[in-house]
Amino acid sequence: MIGGYAGKHVEIDLTNGSFKGVPLDEWAAKTFIGGQGYANWLLWKMTNPNIDPFSGDNLLIISTGPITGLAGGTDRGDITFKSPLTDLWGNSQFGGFWCSELKYAGYDGVILRGIAEKPVYLWINDDDLEVRDAQHIWGKGVAETDQMIKEELNDPFVRVLCIGPAGEKLCREASVVQNAQHFAARTGGGAVMGCKKVKAIAVRGTKGMPPLADPDECFRISEIDLKTKWSERSMHRRMYRWLKFGPQASHVERADHGVGIFKNFSEGDHPDVPLLGGPRQLRMNRVRDDSCTYCPVGCIHASLVRSGPMKGAYAHPKWDSTANTTQQTLMFDINGMIYCNAICNDMGMDAEGVGNTIAWAMECYERGLLSQDELDGLDLTWGNVEAIAKLIWKICRREGIGDLLADGFNRFLPKTGKGSEDFAMQSKGCGFGGYQPYAWHTFGAPYRWGVLYSVNDIGGHHNTASESGYWGNSLTYCTFATGLTDKMKLELLNAATGYELSYPEDWSLYGRRFMMLARSYNIREGYGGVMPPSKADVLPKKAFKKFTYGAAEGEQMTVNDWLNGRLQWYKDHGCDERGIPTKETLRNLGLDFVFNDMEKAGAW
């Protein structure tokens, strides 16, 4: 048995309520590691091409990695599925406590298949597995769901992964939520879970960490990780900023560098941005700090609206989610930010995605492409907190105009038309993250964010477009609260498993392998109905605008800049000019098992 792994996933067929163990495939574990990489291999192996994301044939795979639960920053989980938002590879990550608990219960992951007859939740208590009735919880928000299940099981230390009403309503950007404050938000995993009528998965594990190949070396590296996070060098850089102000510090920082996303990505800077910053949140709203298992950083800053009409709203604001609901909509009201974030959190909705949608709707309203009547009477002028909050509610509940918008860009843009696709800031149906397309990616050089948005395998997201991103999601090691270099992460993996992987050779090889398997899956699925990939790896016209204000004044990514950058990314990653991995590339990566399905999809 390889060190670090529990040795099996548990598969639940919801159609008949049966459980079975799926033993760890040691070849696949060595080839795809765990988390995102291993889950994508399972999705390829266990599903047929071109399935309906809302059918029982789709899987929801929740995976840990071989170092999950071993050190601070490793309580991360990956959720993989076919996305109902993009009809491509669906994927998202989350932190908290659930993943370590699952590992300690004796499982590397959970696989959901089929559709339950009525709402249920799953109870995993070490070796005891149970499907329980959840009709009394269906319709509840995620905070109440978490509390009700803990009370029902009479154990406050049970870890709960659940969906909210947005997932139950099959909103295509619904999220999966852990402990009411950790979110696997992107590409609609909550909608897949809702389709399967699974309200929650509750876990209690008492077996501890699986055996490690070299425990002493694991603890030595973990100690370095901890000390680095707390060291003076870190405290004066990223960790200090996150510990003191949280991800909210990024609002001002991004604007100072001209890469904010104001007014639906119209500008990269704005004079009112300090009203959203971490120092203001600290003074006005901060209640307490929180972390994932063993992590000393404390980047989760629970915040409360203390006065006014939104008094009592409680949320855990993050950078991307709040940037997309505030900067994009010009809402410079920190209480409004927390209130809108609280709605998304408790309803189980991707705040990043819904922010993109609302900013698009606001620009439509400004241009006269959507009327107030078409918006159910909402005055969707920039910065109108009340209208923004009401539209979030409508989307989460599929009421009125919200029913249309809950289906995502790929489905509502053809219905609205009128040129509105030119300023829909998305790629392949997934809205952009909180970074300007013209800017250069800090960790993804030499590529601009716009290049990475366009080639990203889940759509316009800011993660999973680089080898390091795929490695972090496959190890399940937090890319933000990290005290280890990439080389030391690989050393920790080797110490846990007994592998003998080398840096940088294997780091690059494996990262490329993870990435090209995801791209191959999308090609197998017809690339969302648009082939070849180069016809879908595109950006809206607005991504090429020239900026006129502040720190971003004069900045621009031209169409040629983007096309040259995209072609360079294709070449660097072994793809032809159409964005399709060559057979030689796939063979060198050990992915020749994809050839038959790729050929059937018209790749070559």
Side-chain angles (χ1 to χ4, degrees):
M1 181 64 196
I2 308 171
Y5 297 93
K8 63 178 178 296
H9 280 58
V10 58
E11 180 180 341
I12 302 99
D13 187 334
L14 296 157
T15 305
N16 56 32
S18 64
F19 296 83
K20 72 175 181 179
V22 179
L24 181 75
D25 185 301
E26 294 197 1
W27 171 83
K30 180 69 180 290
T31 306
F32 299 104
I33 305 301
Q36 187 180 72
Y38 191 88
N40 202 20
W41 174 78
L42 286 174
L43 188 70
W44 181 285
K45 174 188 173 185
M46 299 177 71
T47 61
N48 293 320
N50 301 311
I51 58 172
D52 181 346
F54 283 151
S55 73
D57 295 327
N58 197 8
L59 302 180
L60 190 81
I61 305 169
I62 310 167
S63 283
T64 66
I67 64 170
T68 302
L70 182 56
T74 66
D75 198 318
R76 304 283 300 172
D78 176 271
I79 303 183
T80 291
F81 46 92
K82 184 173 182 181
S83 170
L85 179 69
T86 65
D87 293 306
L88 299 170
W89 178 52
N91 184 260
S92 194
Q93 290 75 44
F94 65 102
F97 309 91
W98 191 91
C99 304
S100 291
E101 200 75 19
L102 183 71
K103 178 73 77 71
Y104 302 158
Y107 306 98
D108 293 308
V110 174
I111 303 169
L112 302 184
R113 180 189 293 279
I115 297 175
E117 184 178 348
K118 60 184 181 180
V120 299
Y121 76 89
L122 310 177
W123 171 219
I124 301 173
N125 184 16
D126 288 338
D127 295 329
D128 295 328
L129 309 172
E130 187 179 352
V131 178
R132 289 192 164 210
D133 181 74
Q135 292 181 88
H136 60 300
I137 310 174
W138 202 253
K140 305 294 186 184
V142 301
E144 189 174 3
T145 297
D146 189 274
Q147 187 63 31
M148 287 178 69
I149 289 177
K150 287 175 178 176
E151 290 176 357
E152 190 168 301
L153 298 174
N154 196 30
D155 187 345
F157 296 107
V158 166
R159 306 304 183 184
V160 179
L161 189 68
C162 70
I163 61 170
E168 298 170 7
K169 296 284 187 180
L170 306 189
C171 298
R172 292 177 188 267
E173 292 195 273
S175 58
V176 181
V177 187
Q178 198 274 306
N179 200 37
Q181 63 183 24
H182 303 274
F183 308 92
R186 307 245 62 188
T187 67
V192 175
M193 199 160 155
C195 171
K196 294 182 178 299
K197 293 187 172 60
V198 176
K199 180 64 173 175
I201 307 173
V203 177
R204 190 73 164 96
T206 62
K207 297 181 180 182
M209 188 71 188
L212 304 169
D214 188 343
D216 291 341
E217 180 67 1
C218 287
F219 296 143
R220 183 189 72 81
I221 297 172
S222 297
E223 187 175 23
I224 292 172
D225 174 74
L226 179 64
K227 288 182 177 179
T228 302
K229 286 171 181 171
W230 279 109
S231 70
E232 184 173 274
R233 186 170 76 90
S234 290
M235 291 292 282
H236 279 85
R237 298 176 67 189
R238 183 168 175 163
M239 293 306 159
Y240 175 79
R241 177 170 61 97
W242 277 51
L243 187 66
K244 182 71 172 177
F245 300 119
Q248 291 306 108
S250 295
H251 278 285
V252 176
E253 178 191 42
R254 296 286 195 277
D256 285 347
H257 288 88
V259 295
I261 56 171
F262 301 96
K263 200 177 181 183
N264 196 28
F265 286 83
S266 294
E267 293 293 349
D269 193 5
H270 196 283
D272 292 333
V273 69
L275 297 175
L276 299 173
R280 185 174 178 84
Q281 180 194 0
L282 176 64
R283 292 194 304 271
M284 291 181 58
N285 307 99
R286 193 103 136 254
V287 176
R288 65 183 180 87
D289 301 339
D290 204 353
S291 280
C292 302
T293 303
Y294 307 137
C295 184
V297 175
C299 69
I300 303 165
H301 293 178
S303 299
L304 177 70
V305 177
R306 301 179 189 275
S307 61
M310 295 170 282
K311 181 179 180 180
Y314 177 80
H316 310 82
K318 309 288 197 309
W319 155 247
D320 293 287
S321 58
T322 59
N324 284 38
T325 53
T326 58
Q327 288 192 13
Q328 279 220 69
T329 63
L330 295 187
M331 180 176 66
F332 298 104
D333 181 331
I334 201 162
N335 286 336
M337 176 192 78
I338 293 168
Y339 182 70
C340 290
N341 208 234
I343 297 172
C344 292
N345 292 356
D346 203 48
M347 296 295 285
M349 173 60 84
D350 175 13
E352 201 170 343
V354 81
N356 274 294
T357 297
I358 291 174
W360 167 86
M362 290 179 128
E363 187 157 347
C364 284
Y365 185 59
E366 181 183 53
R367 292 171 179 246
L369 304 182
L370 283 177
S371 69
Q372 193 164 350
D373 286 343
E374 289 174 304
L375 292 167
D376 301 337
L378 296 178
D379 177 21
L380 215 58
T381 50
W382 297 105
N384 187 334
V385 179
E386 182 179 355
I388 294 166
K390 286 182 177 179
L391 187 51
I392 293 173
W393 274 108
K394 284 179 173 291
I395 293 172
C396 292
R397 294 177 178 274
R398 282 191 174 271
E399 295 176 352
I401 185 65
D403 187 38
L404 172 70
L405 299 181
D407 274 334
F409 284 113
N410 280 352
R411 288 165 175 82
F412 68 65
L413 283 176
K415 296 177 181 178
T416 51
K418 304 177 185 177
S420 63
E421 65 277 3
D422 291 347
F423 53 86
M425 305 308 285
Q426 53 85 33
S427 181
K428 297 190 281 288
C430 182
F432 293 169
Y435 307 85
Q436 277 290 353
Y438 84 82
W440 295 93
H441 189 321
T442 307
F443 306 110
Y447 312 112
R448 296 177 187 265
W449 278 108
V451 171
L452 298 179
Y453 284 152
S454 63
V455 301
N456 196 307
D457 294 312
I458 68 168
H461 188 38
H462 66 278
N463 201 352
T464 66
S466 68
E467 284 86 349
S468 290
Y470 274 91
W471 258 113
N473 296 337
S474 298
L475 287 171
T476 67
Y477 188 96
C478 182
T479 56
F480 296 102
T482 174
L484 299 178
T485 63
D486 289 345
K487 182 175 184 292
M488 294 198 72
K489 293 172 191 174
L490 205 57
E491 291 174 0
L492 181 59
L493 172 66
N494 288 338
T497 60
Y499 297 160
E500 296 180 350
L501 303 183
S502 61
Y503 185 89
E505 295 82 9
D506 285 327
W507 185 267
S508 178
L509 173 69
Y510 276 66
R512 188 76 49 82
R513 179 185 293 150
F514 302 150
M515 193 180 302
M516 289 302 108
L517 179 58
R519 180 159 281 256
S520 298
Y521 176 84
N522 284 345
I523 292 169
R524 188 188 86 167
E525 299 304 302
Y527 225 79
V530 182
M531 280 285 282
S534 57
K535 291 186 177 180
D537 291 343
V538 296
L539 299 176
K541 288 183 180 179
K542 191 174 183 178
F544 308 111
K545 75 178 296 292
K546 190 171 184 176
F547 293 91
T548 61
Y549 176 80
E553 185 176 1
E555 295 285 359
Q556 182 182 21
M557 176 182 66
T558 67
V559 173
N560 282 337
D561 290 335
W562 166 70
L563 284 172
N564 290 335
R566 189 185 68 169
L567 181 60
Q568 187 63 51
W569 190 95
Y570 286 162
K571 289 179 178 178
D572 290 346
H573 293 83
C575 298
D576 63 24
E577 69 280 359
R578 301 171 300 155
I580 297 176
T582 67
K583 284 189 174 182
E584 181 183 8
T585 295
L586 295 172
R587 188 178 291 111
N588 291 339
L589 294 174
L591 298 177
D592 46 317
F593 63 85
V594 308
F595 283 1
N596 287 340
D597 283 340
M598 292 273 282
E599 287 173 347
K600 290 177 183 177
W604 307 297

